[in-house]
């Protein structure tokens, strides 16, 4: 199956494309954030990946977009999954909101990450209760690709949040983690320490 990933140079888009390629999908990628363009280099030798660099009209069964769709692209698709977009692109879009997603290559420092420009401390209650590791989210995304849900807007929350226990939550996926958040966070920090010069520069590091 062929999938188009908008904003493939976004750190989330990179992880999505990487996992799809691992699963045997053919991936077309469209760049987004310029400061993360080096992430695309990881895909260029993969014969199942194609980088779309010029204005193009594309017809494809499935598209996944992180944030907003670039204006320079005209795309015809049967299904669009939009992740953390401000507004659903169309009435047939499956919009997924996952506010505290974290993982390798995200804008961060040793003590905090930046989500939509807002600094979120790794030691804060909101992060420890709601933080979702990117690889855990990708497991859910793969299931959604196999069986798209009925509906338009969904939220992904951590099952670790005790305040959600016993509540009936509509259009919400409670995500269980395979590994404790503390261990995933250690792994992400080690990756940041090793490749810090390739991470997006944020104010705390200036």
């Amino acid at each position: 199956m062929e999938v188009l990933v908008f904003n493939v140079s976004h750190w989330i888009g990179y992880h999505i494309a990487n996992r799809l390629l691992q699963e045997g999908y053919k991936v077309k990628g469209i760049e987004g954030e310029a400061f993360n363009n080096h992430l695309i280099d990881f895909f260029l030798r993969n014969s199942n990946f194609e980088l779309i660099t010029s204005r193009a009209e594309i017809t494809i069964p499935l598209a996944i977009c992180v944030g907003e769709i670039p204006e320079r692209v005209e795309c015809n698709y049967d299904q669009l999954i939009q992740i953390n977009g401000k507004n659903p692109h169309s009435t047939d879009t499956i919009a997924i909101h996952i506010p505290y997603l974290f993982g390798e290559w995200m804008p961060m420092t040793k003590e905090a990450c930046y989500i939509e420009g807002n600094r979120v401390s790794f030691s804060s209650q909101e992060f420890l209760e709601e933080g979702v590791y990117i690889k855990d989210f990708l497991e859910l995304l793969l299931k959604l690709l196999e069986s798209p849900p009925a509906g338009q807007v969904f939220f992904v929350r951590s099952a670790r949040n005790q305040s959600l226990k016993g509540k009936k939550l509509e259009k919400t996926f409670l995500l269980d983690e395979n590994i404790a958040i503390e261990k995933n966070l250690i792994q992400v920090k080690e990756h940041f320490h090793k490749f810090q010069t390739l991470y997006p520069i944020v104010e705390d590091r200036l």
Side-chain angles (χ1 to χ4, degrees), residues 103 105-114 119-122 185 188-193 196 199-206:
W105 300 120
M106 66 180 177
M108 64 176 284
T109 66
K110 296 178 182 178
E111 295 81 23
C113 60
Y114 286 76
R119 185 182 188 276
V120 179
S121 171
F122 292 133
L185 189 53
V188 170
K189 287 183 176 181
E190 288 177 347
H191 186 273
F192 173 72
H193 178 73
Q196 183 172 345
Y199 270 68
I201 297 176
V202 296
E203 290 183 1
D204 284 15
R205 290 165 57 196
L206 294 178

Side-chain angles (χ1 to χ4, degrees), residues 93-160:
T93 298
I94 296 176
I96 300 175
H97 297 280
I98 177 166
Y100 292 99
L101 194 61
F102 74 97
E104 293 83 357
W105 300 120
M106 66 180 177
M108 64 176 284
T109 66
K110 296 178 182 178
E111 295 81 23
C113 60
Y114 286 76
I115 298 175
E116 295 185 358
N118 298 314
R119 185 182 188 276
V120 179
S121 171
F122 292 133
S123 61
S124 66
Q125 182 177 355
E126 58 183 331
F127 181 82
L128 294 175
E129 288 187 346
E130 288 285 5
V132 172
Y133 186 44
I134 182 67
K135 291 183 180 179
D136 290 330
F137 169 67
L138 293 178
E139 295 296 331
L140 171 63
L141 181 61
L142 289 174
K143 293 178 181 178
L144 297 181
L145 296 185
E146 296 175 0
S147 181
Q152 295 179 340
V153 180
F154 296 90
F155 295 87
V156 178
R157 308 284 299 275
S158 171
R160 191 173 55 256

Side-chain angles (χ1 to χ4, degrees), residues 47-74:
S47 61
N48 283 335
F49 179 79
E50 178 184 356
L51 180 63
I52 308 298
T53 58
S54 59
R55 187 175 182 88
E57 183 174 346
I58 303 168
T59 299
I60 203 162
L62 174 65
I64 300 174
C65 179
V66 178
E68 310 307 319
I69 293 179
E71 295 182 357
R72 64 184 175 86
V73 179
E74 297 179 11

Side-chain angles (χ1 to χ4, degrees), residues 3-6 28 30 55-64 69-80 89-90:
V3 180
L4 174 66
V5 178
F6 290 104
K28 293 181 182 291
I30 295 177
R55 187 175 182 88
E57 183 174 346
I58 303 168
T59 299
I60 203 162
L62 174 65
I64 300 174
I69 293 179
E71 295 182 357
R72 64 184 175 86
V73 179
E74 297 179 11
C75 183
N76 300 309
Y77 45 76
D78 297 326
Q79 184 72 68
L80 171 67
H89 184 68
S90 62

